[in-house]
Structure formats: C-alpha cells, structure tokens
C-alpha cells in the first residue's frame, strides 16, 4: 500500500489539501489528513499552542502510520511544509519523498499582502482569517519560518517543490530558494500558472496534482506491509 500523510497550513485545516487527497486516493494511495493541534477550534485553542505543539501533533500522526507502514510520502502545504521539513530531517529513513506546497520561506508582510489583494478577490477571506488569529500564534508562525532556514540544508530525501506563480502570501523567490538550498540534489520545482497560495484550488491544479503523483510514484518502494 502506498501511503501519504498530508499536513495543512497555519490557521487552516484539512480543506486546504482535501482536493489533493481526493486525487491521490483515486490513484490508489492511502491518504491520511488530520488537524494540527490548536487548529479547527477557538482562538483560545490556537493561543494555547505553539510551533512545537504543531510539530508534535504531526509527528504523532506520522508515527501512527509508521507502526503499520515501513515508509510513507510526506506532503505539506504552507506552514505544513515547514512542519514536514522538520519531520523529514528527523525521520529520513522512513520517508520516501517530501512534497512542499506553497512553502512560506519568505512570507509577505501584512502591508505587502494588502497591496496584492486586488489580484485575486477570492483570497480575501483567507487573509482575514490570518489577521484575526491571536498575536502569540502569529509570533509562533514567524518563529518556525525563521528556524526552518537551518532545517533546509539538512533535508537529504527527494523533495518536490510546488508554488503558484501568483502566490499572494509567499514571495516568488521562496520556491527558488528551496531548490537551491535543500540538502538533496534530488529535487524538482513546479510552478503552477495563475495560481495563488491555495494551489490545491488553482484553476490549473491538475498540473500540480499530476506532478505530485508522478513524483511520489517515481520515489515509491514496493510495499510489503500488511
């Protein structure tokens, strides 16, 4: 059985990656999604967690899968990509491939985000959600962004990088930075045309989905798990 663990982003939920999960399931993959600790509830829930809690909650889900399956594919969206990167460094022998979607290596600041709103009105609700989160949670987001710069060179497993060419939350140079600074030479960079941050909902999302499927298919191993 081919297995994928999907990790959603900051202030988001499973809906951010569910179209990709449905696509991979149709291709015969076992797909696991979950909600990061502190997410999906009240502002107090989010306020009472930090970046370590987010990583820990993803690690718990990873270990649950690894009790049954020898290796899995790890896919992260936005902040979920940063969390996935941390796990890829900690479990290099148990992860077949890493896929990083819309990774906030260089996130736009609030002023820059406001200036881009006219480009894609659909993103306004997403931005509004970002701004109403507790200030402590926002600080934790920027801390994991900063700390991840030390993580990227330690990633030794195959890594696929996917970003929209009109991302409203992440600077375009983020994807190129990853391609140049990950610690593996087995990388591929895919840009989704006319796509904002939510690449799983882009008009041309099939480009990303096909690239992800081909990537994990190429980097899969024969499964002998029951």
């Amino acid at each position: 059985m081919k297995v994928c663990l999907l990790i959603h982003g900051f202030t988001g939920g499973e809906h951010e990656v569910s179209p990709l999960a449905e696509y991979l399931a149709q291709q015969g993959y076992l797909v696991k999604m979950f909600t990061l600790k502190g997410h999906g509830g009240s502002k107090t829930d989010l306020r009472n967690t930090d970046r370590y809690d987010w990583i820990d909650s993803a690690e718990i889900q990873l270990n649950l899968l690894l009790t049954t399956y020898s290796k899995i594919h790890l896919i992260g969206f936005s902040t979920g990509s940063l969390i996935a990167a941390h796990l890829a460094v900690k479990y290099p022998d148990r992860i077949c491939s890493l896929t990083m979607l819309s990774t906030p290596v260089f996130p736009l600041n609030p002023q820059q985000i406001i200036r881009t709103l006219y480009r894609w009105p659909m993103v306004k609700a997403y931005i509004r959600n970002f701004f109403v989160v507790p200030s402590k949670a926002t600080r934790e987001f920027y801390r994991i962004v900063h700390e991840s710069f030390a993580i990227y060179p330690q990633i030794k497993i195959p890594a696929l990088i996917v970003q929209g060419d009109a991302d409203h939350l992440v600077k375009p140079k983020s994807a190129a930075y990853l391609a140049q600074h990950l610690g593996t030479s087995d990388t591929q960079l895919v840009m989704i045309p006319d796509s904002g941050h939510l690449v799983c909902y882009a008009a041309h999302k099939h480009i990303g989905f096909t690239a992800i499927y081909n990537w994990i298919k190429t980097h899969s191993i024969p499964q002998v798990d029951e």
Side-chain angles (χ1 to χ4, degrees):
M1 176 65 74
K2 299 167 289 187
V3 186
C4 301
L5 176 62
L6 277 61
I7 308 175
H8 69 78
F10 177 60
T11 76
E14 295 179 15
H15 64 277
E16 294 175 319
V17 292
S18 59
L20 175 59
E22 294 172 6
Y23 169 82
L24 292 175
Q26 291 171 358
Q27 311 310 313
Y29 283 82
L30 175 66
V31 181
K32 172 67 176 180
M33 295 185 293
F34 68 99
T35 302
L36 291 168
K37 186 172 182 180
H39 292 66
S42 67
K43 290 178 62 175
T44 300
D45 293 334
L46 188 56
R47 185 184 298 113
N48 289 337
T49 60
D50 57 26
R51 61 198 185 281
Y52 303 116
D53 293 317
W54 308 337
I55 295 172
D56 288 346
S57 62
E59 186 172 8
I60 289 171
Q61 298 299 322
L62 173 61
N63 280 314
L64 285 174
L65 289 174
L66 293 179
T67 60
T68 303
Y69 304 99
S70 59
K71 286 194 173 187
I72 70 157
H73 297 278
L74 196 54
I75 302 172
F77 166 74
S78 195
T79 305
S81 291
L82 305 180
I83 295 170
H86 285 248
L87 295 178
V89 170
K90 190 170 183 180
Y91 297 88
D93 298 328
R94 306 299 303 275
I95 298 172
C96 293
S97 72
L98 171 66
T99 297
M100 307 177 78
L101 310 175
S102 305
T103 309
V105 179
F106 301 106
L108 292 170
N109 61 44
Q111 292 76 24
Q112 291 170 317
I113 293 173
I114 290 172
R115 287 198 295 270
T116 69
L117 284 180
Y118 74 92
R119 298 179 187 171
W120 189 23
M122 287 177 60
V123 84
K124 291 182 179 179
Y126 195 87
I127 301 298
R128 189 182 308 115
N129 184 44
F130 184 85
F131 286 145
V132 299
V133 301
S135 58
K136 175 180 180 285
T138 301
R139 289 194 298 271
E140 290 298 311
F141 163 74
Y142 282 106
R143 283 169 180 157
I144 192 173
V145 167
H146 175 73
E147 292 167 356
S148 294
F149 280 97
I151 291 294
Y152 302 138
Q154 300 180 52
I155 295 175
K156 305 299 182 181
I157 66 172
L160 174 65
I161 304 157
V162 180
Q163 184 171 333
D165 67 358
D167 196 324
H168 304 80
L169 299 183
V170 175
K171 294 181 181 179
K173 65 179 182 179
S174 294
Y177 182 92
L178 288 175
Q180 296 171 6
H181 292 86
L182 293 182
T184 174
S185 60
D186 191 357
T187 63
Q188 181 181 344
L189 171 57
V190 176
M191 298 298 295
I192 309 301
D194 304 317
S195 173
H197 191 63
L198 299 169
V199 291
C200 291
Y201 289 88
H204 302 291
K205 62 180 181 291
H206 64 279
I207 295 176
F209 288 5
T210 301
I212 294 166
Y213 169 70
N214 288 333
W215 181 259
I216 61 180
K217 180 181 179 181
T218 301
H219 293 87
S220 293
I221 60 171
Q223 287 284 351
V224 296
D225 310 287
E226 296 297 332

